[in-house]
Amino acid sequence: MNLTVTSRGRQFDRLGLMYLGDVEVFRTSTAEPTADGIIWTYVKEMQQFNSLWKENQKIIFDLGNLIDSTYTGIYNTTLTATFFTIPGSSATADVILPISAMKSGVDQGSAFQIPAQNASVSYTLPRNVNRAVVSLLACGQSTEEFWYSNVLSSEENTFAASTGALYGGSPWREVQLLIDGQLVGVSWPFPIIFTGGIVPGFWRPIVGIDAFDLREHEIDITALLPMILDGDSHMFEIRVASLNDDGAGRAILADTPGSYWVVSGKIFLFLDASGGVTMGSKPVIDTPPPRFTLSSIITQNSTGANETLTYSVAASREISIMSTVESASGSKPATWTQRLSYNNFNALTGQGLVQLTIQSTNGSDVACSGYANTYSYPLNVNSSYYLPPNGALSLNGSITRGLDFNVYGPSVIPSGIQTFNETSLSIFAVGGRTSPQATQISGLPLFSAALLSTTQSGTAEYYSSPNVSYSFGSMEQDFSFRGAAVGAPGETFELYSRHVKAVNTTIVEDSQNLVGQTFNIPSGTSGEGTLLQSDMGTNPRDILGRGPR
């Protein structure tokens, strides 16, 4: 699927969601346009939705926008689908069911908004399922966009007398999957930063990690098949949890976060031949609550006013589900395990005008199918704002962040390694004829794992006054994609890497390597700063997510 977008004028970043009927298949966001106009293209693999493409579908692309005399940027979008066959390609799900609000019948997007909506659906599943996986999509908006910088609930009013109330609920979030009210898997979300996030100059033209394709999290529920294939209806629910604390270092889970989170899910079902009935032993479900360690310190200045707030949250969780599944494919042990750890440190100084956030999240998921996922995402953000007496606004920031995401075995969401495993394919033209295309790459083994690692590091500043707005910024990104050979997971091959650096909207360094071949992309000349046509407003609390006006 190719998404190409053009825009010119002033506009905020916007969230875009694509559906096939009620099933969300692509979540993206927009770049912020300039007066001269911008264009970008994103290409996404869609083979995981083969069972949906085999039927007539209503395509809904939900890209909310505001057009008026101030915000003039219209997003002109073009979606192009290219269909092709891959001989011997891996199996995809036979049935895909949405966990969504199911509003395609009235031509609307179907994602839930939490906490305003109860994100649940009920299904009676076919009884011949031999493997089942749920994918979750979730991102915070509005007061939850910068959830990783939120304060403990007991300290929301630390700077109420100076800079105002802060957003609470702690800087920890958990996206949960429940079946019939029983927790069966979680996702500790990656901190998405959209193209207007923190300081706009960071993201011109390099966008934040995953901002153009928000990543889904897989939860294997095969071990639960003996419980949910009984011919009865079962409820699938998505929740987002935060923390409530008592101000004395103790916290409990709160299943009502701030406003708001956009969530949806999909149930991928792999079937045996019709007529079979899958049974098995009663699942043993072990989902103890997370373990938390909290601390915070408030200091005062010479006048007695609160001057600084430092706080930290550490969390860990383990989940284990086991059963035996008996299907037409045979009897097999079925398991799902998750182990996660999290650390967050925040320091607010200058009565809330300066904030440092240091966070790390690590996890591993393992399923009986051979699927495993290990992931790590560190984040270090320093931001400050200043309000001169002339009604202007000044923002400054620095950021270092990363994502390590390793996928082993049969994932339902393509990991990217499939491209290097295929040796031939046939592209279907619009007229229906095929055009064979050889894609053999010599010297490479068959891969069973995809190992992705990327980092971003940058600085930026922004200034806005009643007469002019501008932003300076630099961003540097390194990206590495490796494959692990079948039968030798310790033997890895670098398949693609890229180093790119932008200064004041201009790419000044760009080199790529594809399977040993290096490509140096011509670079431009660094600019002197960018006159911004996208009016960010003059309220830094909205921009930085520090709290309500």
Side-chain angles (χ1 to χ4, degrees):
M1 180 65 66
N2 179 305
L3 170 67
T4 297
V5 186
T6 63
S7 185
R8 181 193 304 268
R10 295 175 176 155
Q11 199 52 258
F12 287 113
D13 54 65
R14 304 295 185 184
L15 194 66
L17 301 90
M18 177 186 171
Y19 302 86
L20 296 180
D22 295 315
V23 180
E24 184 180 352
V25 296
F26 182 20
R27 184 174 299 187
T28 186
S29 67
T30 65
E32 292 192 338
T34 64
D36 295 330
I38 60 173
I39 182 171
W40 75 92
T41 294
Y42 191 86
V43 179
K44 181 178 177 66
E45 175 61 65
M46 290 280 192
Q47 70 173 10
Q48 65 272 33
F49 304 118
N50 281 347
S51 63
L52 299 178
W53 293 116
K54 293 176 181 179
E55 302 176 356
N56 291 332
Q57 296 288 343
K58 178 185 289 186
I59 297 178
I60 296 176
F61 192 78
D62 183 3
L63 176 58
N65 203 7
L66 170 67
I67 302 297
D68 58 22
S69 58
T70 300
Y71 302 105
T72 59
I74 296 173
Y75 289 110
N76 298 292
T77 63
T78 302
L79 281 168
T80 305
T82 302
F83 295 91
F84 55 90
T85 61
I86 304 177
S89 60
S90 58
T92 56
D94 299 288
V95 177
I96 302 174
L97 301 173
I99 304 176
S100 74
M102 301 189 188
K103 294 183 177 180
S104 67
V106 292
D107 296 335
Q108 294 181 13
S110 294
F112 292 109
Q113 291 188 6
I114 293 176
Q117 295 175 287
N118 183 309
S120 65
V121 295
S122 294
Y123 290 108
T124 300
L125 301 180
R127 303 195 68 181
N128 60 327
V129 178
N130 65 63
R131 181 188 176 206
V133 178
V134 174
S135 71
L136 301 178
L137 261 172
C139 62
Q141 297 281 277
S142 189
T143 71
E144 290 285 294
E145 182 174 349
F146 304 99
W147 51 270
Y148 46 85
S149 65
N150 284 19
V151 301
L152 300 176
S153 295
S154 62
E155 294 168 342
E156 294 176 9
N157 294 311
T158 299
F159 303 113
S162 52
T163 52
L166 303 168
Y167 294 138
S170 87
W172 177 86
R173 294 294 182 273
E174 178 177 79
V175 183
Q176 303 175 333
L177 173 66
L178 298 93
I179 299 180
D180 297 332
Q182 168 68 57
L183 181 71
V184 296
V186 300
S187 169
W188 286 10
F190 175 76
I192 288 288
I193 302 176
F194 299 110
T195 58
I198 305 175
V199 184
F202 283 140
W203 316 117
R204 295 190 165 123
I206 300 174
V207 301
I209 298 169
D210 285 358
F212 278 173
D213 189 2
L214 277 69
R215 192 174 300 272
E216 301 182 56
H217 198 100
E218 298 184 29
I219 296 174
D220 195 298
I221 59 170
T222 303
L224 297 164
L225 292 180
M227 180 180 77
I228 59 178
L229 299 186
D230 56 0
D232 293 334
S233 177
H234 295 274
M235 183 176 70
F236 294 78
E237 181 180 5
I238 302 171
R239 295 180 186 172
V240 179
S242 59
L243 291 181
N244 280 335
D245 73 292
D246 63 359
R250 293 180 292 271
I252 59 172
L253 286 179
D255 59 9
T256 304
S259 182
Y260 58 99
W261 281 76
V262 180
V263 305
S264 75
K266 293 175 284 292
I267 308 170
F268 294 82
L269 302 178
F270 298 79
L271 307 180
D272 284 325
S274 61
V277 176
T278 297
M279 299 181 292
S281 63
K282 180 179 179 181
V284 177
I285 303 174
D286 185 19
T287 58
R291 297 176 292 275
F292 295 104
T293 302
L294 283 68
S295 66
S296 65
I297 299 174
I298 298 174
T299 65
Q300 288 79 34
N301 59 26
S302 59
T303 68
N306 290 336
E307 182 70 20
T308 70
L309 167 64
T310 59
Y311 56 99
S312 64
V313 178
S316 62
R317 184 196 263 284
E318 296 182 358
I319 287 175
S320 173
I321 302 175
M322 297 182 295
S323 72
T324 298
V325 173
E326 299 173 0
S327 69
S329 303
S331 178
K332 61 183 179 182
T335 58
W336 171 249
T337 61
Q338 292 188 273
R339 291 180 174 85
L340 304 105
S341 64
Y342 163 96
N343 284 278
N344 177 286
F345 171 83
N346 269 274
L348 284 156
T349 58
Q351 298 186 348
L353 294 174
V354 180
Q355 184 164 15
L356 170 66
T357 300
I358 301 174
Q359 177 173 290
S360 66
T361 304
N362 297 277
S364 66
D365 305 338
V366 181
C368 56
S369 64
Y371 168 81
N373 181 202
T374 63
Y375 42 92
S376 173
Y377 19 93
L379 173 69
N380 187 317
V381 179
N382 200 334
S383 63
S384 64
Y385 69 90
Y386 172 62
L387 297 173
N390 64 349
L393 162 66
S394 176
L395 298 175
N396 287 275
S398 63
I399 185 170
T400 300
R401 63 196 301 234
L403 171 66
D404 291 316
F405 200 83
N406 303 323
V407 178
Y408 302 83
S411 60
V412 297
I413 307 299
S415 63
I417 204 65
Q418 293 82 0
T419 301
F420 297 91
N421 273 345
E422 311 304 343
T423 58
S424 65
L425 61 107
S426 297
I427 302 295
F428 278 92
V430 176
R433 292 175 298 176
T434 63
S435 174
Q437 179 172 300
T439 59
Q440 292 182 338
I441 302 176
S442 62
L444 292 180
L446 188 67
F447 297 112
S448 62
L451 315 176
L452 183 153
S453 178
T454 187
T455 59
Q456 291 182 324
S457 180
T459 60
E461 62 179 275
Y462 169 85
Y463 177 83
S464 174
S465 71
N467 299 318
V468 66
S469 297
Y470 63 84
S471 184
F472 296 94
S474 66
M475 178 61 66
E476 194 163 4
Q477 181 166 0
D478 287 289
F479 182 96
S480 171
F481 184 73
R482 304 179 68 86
V486 171
E491 184 179 0
T492 65
F493 294 77
E494 184 173 85
L495 302 174
Y496 178 77
S497 65
R498 185 172 185 177
H499 168 81
V500 61
K501 181 178 181 179
V503 178
N504 297 336
T505 75
T506 301
I507 299 296
V508 297
E509 298 175 12
D510 192 354
S511 62
Q512 304 179 61
N513 185 292
L514 176 63
V515 195
Q517 298 186 49
T518 299
F519 304 88
N520 291 308
I521 310 302
S523 301
T525 302
S526 174
E528 296 181 353
T530 305
L531 183 66
L532 295 183
Q533 295 299 316
S534 54
D535 182 6
M536 296 293 294
T538 57
N539 190 335
R541 303 172 65 72
D542 287 344
I543 300 169
L544 297 172
R546 298 272 175 86
R549 300 185 180 202

